[in-house]
Amino acid sequence: MSAVLPVAPPPAPRRRRRLKPWHWMPYVFVAPFFILFLGFGLFPLLFSAYASFFRWEIAAGLSGMKWEGWGNYLFVLQLDGLPWGSVFSTGFWAELYARDFWRAMANTFWLGIAAGVPQHLVAIPLAYFIHTQFRRVRNPVISMYFLPYITNTVAITLVFSSLFSRDFGVINQVLTGLGQWQVMGVHPLAWLFPTENIDWGRPEYTRPIVAFIVWWRFVGWNTVLYLSALQTIPKDLYEAATVDGAGTWQQFRYITLPLLRPMMLFAITLTIIGNLQLFEEPFVLTGGSGGVGQVAETVAMQMYKVGLTDGDFGTASAVAWLMFMVIAALTWLNNRYLGRKD
Amino acid sequence: MSTLASSLPAASVAPAPRQRRKPGRFAPSQWLPHALVLVGALIMLAPFYFMFVFATHTNTDILSVPPPLWFGDALFDNLNELVAQRPMFWRSVGLSLWIATASTVLNLFLCSLGGYGFSMYEFRGRDKLFAALMATMLLPAFVGMIPYVLMMKELGWLNSTRALIIPGACSAFGIFLMRQYIGSAVPRELVEAARMDGCGEFGIYWRVVLPLIGPAMGTLGLVTFIGSYNNFVGALLVMSDMEMFTAPLVLRSLQGTGQTPWGAISAGSAVTVLPLLVLFILYSRRLIEGLTAGAVKG
């Protein structure tokens, strides 16, 4: 009789099985990153949020922290006494610009836009062109554009500051050379190029130079990002479009650009996060001062100055968190605009 | 006449449509974009060229008009002047190389271990932990700068290479890169077979996985080395003692009031950038692919 009974299932283990060593091993393997991040990444970030509500001088140490509430933020923002009535006259903006944080913010935005927008406007067509036209010399060309990205910013910014020097800088000599170029007694290019040396140290030139260096450093990086996205677009799409009679421009507009959008989201996010924390190029180029009239002092430089040179940690933390909020807001906006699914 | 009439159209008309379909070899639309791309590439390289040219000229040559456009012979004079002004220059370059090497070794070990953990195990909360790891890449590092300096002070790590090596010893990007690579290059069966044979979990990583991930280790090593070698802000924050200056800090300290020693600065810049250029010339393709790996697959 017992033969007709189905084979009994193996008895379920009664006692709870002890955790095998390899059940907890993966946690050990991934732990170092999280420990380091909590200790050296997240903790300072949160502590700066906490510290931004305290008055805290460098000499006083941890015990000298005094509750300040939103005082640091109000002090940084300096909103008091602005002539709100004249918002649309120039006086308002001039006065706002004269206040440290707003000036640093305006400079950072100026630099971020002047360096960031051309990066993408140049990188996308450049990547498209390298992708479609270059065959044999492709890798050398990509490498030439990419090289600035890996070099030491301090070293190369110092080289740039000699190239942009007023009296001997190579850039002035090329420009004035073109301006003074003479054909049969006339200077045909004098309207376009300067005929005497430009003083690049003047405040109106400082920001454009910084923007140029930043552009120079990152345009190749963005090109490579777009190039790698272009390589994932299937060729059939273009073949089908050609069969349907779409021209090159239409293919670029209706196939390439829409399919590049995820990469644009990624690349522009990186540009936003990076450019709003801009520090090295303006710091080195202006010798840490921000230039004449502080025209190139970014928010990150201001935070460094207030916190570590002046020793006012509370105010510097408030600057840091205002910067964080702006970065988060812009990243969110960018994600909303470019990351939408339709 | 008839032979001429019959042969003429054939000879003159036939090539015409071909020409209309494809513009001539020297039409601007054919060469202009190439020329623009190449001119742009030269603009990208020009600062490097002038860095090396200026490194081989005396200050007076550099300050003359027109500037030197070809290499001179004052390289060693410039280096001597640099060392005369900043006696710790070579020590600083060595310090930078040491910090970069130590960071690279630690990152290779911890990131490959983490990547192995994330790719070869199923464990509770794995996907959430990985998402958190990816999200950390979006946090602006600058915001925690001031408490970071205070922490270093409390730990007694100011003016010590530890402050630049330990906090960056394991990067989210590195773990991501390793996870991708181990997931595709190491067969799961191999890991399970090793486990059956009684190999410990760490032994599997050390003896089975590690020998198989050479290419990814090379890529991550390059990326980490270059990133760590170029770290200026970190060094600026924790190094105040001239003896502990890294190469970028020494270079920056040369730029000051009075007569700027451009020859020495250029020579110092060239020496500082040279290791990076050598690595780039040898491995540019692998480096570019490694850096953009997160962008393509992520």
Side-chain angles (χ1 to χ4, degrees):
Chain A
M1 287 302 275
S2 66
V4 296
L5 282 173
V7 178
R14 286 280 167 82
R15 60 189 177 87
R16 276 180 66 206
R17 277 201 300 190
R18 287 177 60 199
L19 218 53
K20 282 189 186 168
W22 61 271
H23 281 139
W24 51 263
M25 278 310 270
Y27 293 104
V28 176
F29 292 163
V30 303
F33 170 79
F34 290 98
I35 293 168
L36 288 171
F37 173 72
L38 291 178
F40 297 111
L42 195 63
F43 173 72
L45 198 74
L46 296 179
F47 191 80
S48 83
Y50 173 75
S52 70
F53 294 103
F54 289 86
R55 169 173 289 278
W56 191 19
E57 304 291 335
I58 189 166
L62 276 172
S63 55
M65 291 174 83
K66 270 188 286 183
W67 177 253
E68 184 80 13
W70 292 97
N72 285 329
Y73 287 91
L74 293 176
F75 175 69
V76 169
L77 291 171
Q78 294 183 51
L79 290 171
D80 50 304
L82 275 176
W84 293 104
S86 59
V87 168
F88 295 104
S89 67
T90 49
F92 177 80
W93 301 111
E95 197 160 328
L96 200 62
Y97 188 77
R99 297 172 182 218
D100 292 348
F101 176 75
W102 294 99
R103 185 187 56 225
M105 212 61 199
N107 291 338
T108 310
F109 267 83
W110 197 104
L111 289 172
I113 291 168
V117 173
Q119 261 171 43
H120 296 271
L121 289 183
V122 171
I124 293 176
L126 185 66
Y128 182 71
F129 192 72
I130 292 176
H131 182 62
T132 53
Q133 302 282 313
F134 279 75
R135 286 281 171 263
R136 260 183 308 165
V137 288
R138 180 193 184 108
N139 284 326
V141 168
I142 297 169
S143 296
M144 278 150 95
Y145 277 93
F146 195 76
L147 186 57
Y149 181 75
I150 63 137
T151 42
N152 190 289
T153 318
V154 178
I156 214 71
T157 304
L158 288 172
V159 172
F160 266 113
S161 69
S162 85
L163 294 179
F164 275 110
S165 165
R166 185 190 66 189
D167 294 324
F168 67 92
V170 173
I171 290 167
N172 265 339
Q173 300 199 18
V174 170
L175 293 180
T176 53
L178 287 168
Q180 288 168 351
W181 182 53
Q182 208 173 353
V183 180
M184 296 189 298
V186 289
H187 302 285
L189 292 177
W191 59 278
L192 185 59
F193 292 99
T195 48
E196 52 191 55
N197 286 354
I198 299 170
D199 181 1
W200 296 103
R202 266 159 47 196
E204 64 264 40
Y205 291 120
T206 311
R207 278 188 307 211
I209 293 173
V210 174
F212 173 75
I213 299 175
V214 176
W215 175 86
W216 175 83
R217 206 153 89 80
F218 288 98
V219 70
W221 160 253
N222 284 301
T223 305
V224 167
L225 287 184
Y226 287 122
L227 201 57
S228 61
L230 285 175
Q231 283 160 355
T232 64
I233 299 178
K235 286 215 165 59
D236 323 3
L237 283 176
Y238 292 105
E239 279 160 19
T242 312
V243 170
D244 290 347
T248 313
W249 170 248
Q250 281 176 315
Q251 291 186 11
F252 181 75
R253 171 71 187 79
Y254 293 105
I255 299 177
T256 312
L257 277 186
L259 288 174
L260 272 185
R261 211 172 64 186
M263 184 53 86
M264 284 166 75
L265 170 69
F266 179 79
I268 292 175
T269 304
L270 287 187
T271 304
I272 290 173
I273 297 175
N275 281 5
L276 286 174
Q277 299 183 81
L278 206 60
F279 182 84
E280 293 184 18
E281 289 91 347
F283 186 82
V284 176
L285 197 78
T286 63
S289 70
V292 178
Q294 312 285 289
V295 287
E297 191 193 45
T298 62
V299 181
M301 283 169 73
Q302 195 184 43
M303 185 176 75
Y304 175 81
K305 189 182 80 184
V306 171
L308 296 172
T309 314
D310 303 348
D312 184 351
F313 292 147
T315 307
S317 299
V319 172
W321 269 81
L322 287 167
M323 181 166 96
F324 182 90
M325 285 176 232
V326 173
I327 292 175
L330 284 180
T331 312
W332 178 75
L333 272 179
N334 178 43
N335 196 30
R336 212 176 120 96
Y337 179 68
L338 280 173
R340 67 182 196 275
K341 298 207 164 54
D342 52 15
Chain B
M1 282 301 272
S2 66
T3 48
L4 195 69
S6 60
S7 65
L8 237 176
S12 63
V13 174
R18 210 185 304 149
Q19 249 178 4
R20 222 173 292 141
R21 247 184 288 128
K22 214 174 185 178
R25 199 174 165 75
F26 296 105
S29 65
Q30 287 292 299
W31 58 260
L32 190 65
H34 287 83
L36 283 178
V37 169
L38 290 174
V39 168
L42 290 181
I43 292 176
M44 294 290 133
L45 293 187
F48 296 102
Y49 177 74
F50 283 109
M51 176 174 73
F52 285 111
V53 168
F54 289 172
T56 59
H57 281 279
T58 59
N59 226 25
T60 4
D61 281 352
I62 297 170
L63 295 175
S64 65
V65 176
L69 294 177
W70 191 246
F71 299 93
D73 51 8
L75 176 63
F76 291 100
D77 296 341
N78 282 333
L79 288 176
N80 286 338
E81 197 200 330
L82 180 63
V83 175
Q85 290 205 12
R86 293 286 182 273
M88 70 294 185
F89 176 71
W90 291 111
R91 182 188 147 86
S92 297
V93 174
L95 209 59
S96 282
L97 288 172
W98 154 245
I99 291 170
T101 309
S103 297
T104 305
V105 171
L106 276 174
N107 260 285
L108 286 182
F109 175 60
L110 293 177
C111 291
S112 60
L113 198 62
Y116 166 64
F118 272 120
S119 68
M120 283 296 164
Y121 293 90
E122 304 274 350
F123 53 92
R124 274 171 64 89
R126 182 187 70 172
D127 295 341
K128 280 191 180 127
L129 279 178
F130 192 72
L133 175 125
M134 297 299 285
T136 63
M137 287 203 252
L138 288 177
L139 280 182
F142 236 102
V143 174
M145 185 178 91
I146 285 161
Y148 177 82
V149 177
L150 288 173
M151 260 178 86
M152 293 299 128
K153 195 177 165 198
E154 293 295 316
L155 289 170
W157 288 10
L158 289 182
N159 286 311
S160 133
T161 52
R162 267 171 301 180
L164 296 178
I165 297 171
I166 306 289
C170 184
S171 71
F173 171 78
I175 291 192
F176 172 77
L177 194 78
M178 284 296 168
R179 173 185 173 264
Q180 299 291 104
Y181 190 81
I182 294 174
S184 68
V186 181
R188 213 167 258 270
E189 293 78 23
L190 206 61
V191 172
E192 270 151 24
R195 193 171 289 143
M196 295 287 216
D197 290 346
C199 193
E201 298 304 311
F202 185 78
I204 298 175
Y205 158 77
W206 191 253
R207 293 192 206 157
V208 178
V209 175
L210 209 53
L212 290 175
I213 56 173
M217 295 289 261
T219 306
L220 180 62
L222 280 170
V223 171
T224 314
F225 187 90
I226 288 172
S228 173
Y229 185 81
N230 282 336
N231 181 359
F232 168 66
V233 180
L236 183 71
L237 295 178
V238 297
M239 302 298 196
S240 54
D241 186 354
M242 287 279 245
E243 278 291 301
M244 295 306 287
F245 270 19
T246 58
L249 286 186
V250 179
L251 283 183
R252 193 190 93 78
S253 76
L254 281 170
Q255 166 204 43
T257 48
Q259 174 84 319
T260 312
W262 289 114
I265 286 187
S266 303
S269 298
V271 169
T272 307
V273 171
L274 202 62
L276 303 172
L277 284 181
V278 171
L279 282 179
F280 191 70
I281 288 166
L282 292 178
Y283 303 109
S284 67
R285 192 129 173 234
R286 165 172 285 183
L287 183 71
I288 294 174
E289 281 168 3
L291 276 168
T292 53
V296 188
K297 293 183 180 136

